[in-house]
Amino acid sequence: MKLVLIGCPGAGKGTQAKMLSKKFDIAHISTGDLLREQMKRGTELGKKVSEIMNSGGLVSDDIVSAMLAERIKEDDCKKGYILDGYPRNVAQAQGLEAITGPLDRVICYDVADDVIVDRMTGRRSCPKCGRMYHTAYNPPKVEGKCDDCGAELIQRKDDNEDTVKNRLKVYHESTAPVIDYYRDKGILMVVNGVGDINDIFNTVASALEV
Ligand code: AMP
């Protein structure tokens, strides 16, 4: 099964992708995570993209599509995968099926902008196991520490208010048109992304099981 998750930054794509990946035993590919990994390792590519990522802009299509094409060759993608954060514009969407073959479903998580800034500025994650938290809505048991592995939680550099606002602007200008692109193809499912995380997951999982 090949899925694409769309939604503005902070819509919950990462959390939902992890849950879907476990349920359907398919890989979770976050292009943002792949790029952050390059930055962490200090590679040439990482250095090249760091400024643009920290400001909330989009990395060039060539770089991201080449990275994605490499990633899906790995063994864990044989049964399928969930793309989280790709495509981010219509050009990427138009080129995607040449890389992946036909997609099964595109899921769009719908969340209003005013909910997003609040969600994202409180977002924290575990650098070791990837578990996500929110300082107000989903805090860890011990402040600043991961419940599962005890690692010190971190805040993404691009989760500050100014960058979040820019990322929302970029989303509306470049990524939102991708929704219509997939609606026209007849594979789009729009889900309300506000509410209980498990309810949102169950709605999508049952639709995919049919
Ligand atoms: P994300 O973790 O999906 O929010 O992505 C973080 C940042 O990585 C974005 O703000 C972009 O700078 C970059 N990025 C991730 N995916 C893409 C993509 N498909 N195209 C261009 N830039 C991307």
Side-chain angles (χ1 to χ4, degrees):
M1 180 157 54
K2 292 173 188 165
L3 305 175
V4 164
L5 307 192
I6 298 187
C8 57
K13 300 185 297 296
T15 303
Q16 295 292 327
K18 283 190 186 75
M19 294 165 87
L20 291 167
S21 152
K22 215 167 168 186
K23 160 100 182 160
F24 294 105
D25 191 24
I26 52 179
H28 167 203
I29 303 176
S30 154
T31 44
D33 282 349
L34 293 176
L35 289 164
R36 277 185 289 279
E37 180 62 29
Q38 295 288 329
M39 279 166 55
K40 207 165 123 193
R41 283 170 37 207
T43 63
E44 279 310 308
L45 177 62
K47 285 179 198 149
K48 206 164 154 186
V49 300
S50 71
E51 199 177 317
I52 204 146
M53 284 186 70
N54 290 337
S55 71
L58 290 185
V59 172
S60 84
D61 294 348
D62 290 354
I63 291 182
V64 192
S65 62
M67 210 177 59
L68 178 69
E70 279 308 301
R71 176 64 184 86
I72 62 170
K73 286 182 193 155
E74 288 177 33
D75 276 356
D76 65 334
C77 294
K78 288 218 168 85
K79 282 203 237 165
Y81 39 82
I82 302 164
L83 302 185
D84 158 13
Y86 195 102
R88 276 297 226 277
N89 57 34
V90 172
Q92 289 183 6
Q94 283 166 339
L96 181 59
E97 291 196 67
I99 304 173
T100 58
L103 299 168
D104 293 288
R105 203 66 89 90
V106 174
I107 301 145
C108 173
Y109 295 91
D110 191 26
V111 182
D113 280 13
D114 53 358
V115 181
I116 293 296
V117 177
D118 183 40
R119 262 198 196 181
M120 294 189 74
T121 48
R123 190 157 83 157
R124 301 290 181 274
S125 64
C126 174
K128 223 167 144 192
C129 69
R131 185 163 167 184
M132 305 290 293
Y133 297 88
H134 189 282
T135 49
Y137 310 126
N138 177 26
K141 290 192 184 94
V142 178
E143 199 187 322
K145 300 250 189 260
C146 179
D147 291 351
D148 290 341
C149 61
E152 196 80 29
L153 300 181
I154 53 166
Q155 179 177 28
R156 270 172 54 170
K157 244 190 175 158
D158 57 353
D159 275 350
N160 66 73
E161 196 167 333
D162 285 348
T163 308
V164 168
K165 286 186 175 153
N166 191 37
R167 288 164 70 197
L168 280 172
K169 186 169 166 270
V170 170
Y171 174 78
H172 289 296
E173 284 169 5
S174 303
T175 313
V178 174
I179 299 170
D180 288 333
Y181 177 85
Y182 286 119
R183 185 177 286 117
D184 291 348
K185 282 189 167 268
I187 54 172
L188 181 75
M189 172 185 179
V190 180
V191 195
N192 179 3
V194 182
D196 184 84
I197 288 171
N198 290 307
D199 290 346
I200 298 169
F201 166 71
N202 287 331
T203 303
V204 174
S206 9
L208 292 174
E209 274 170 334
V210 176

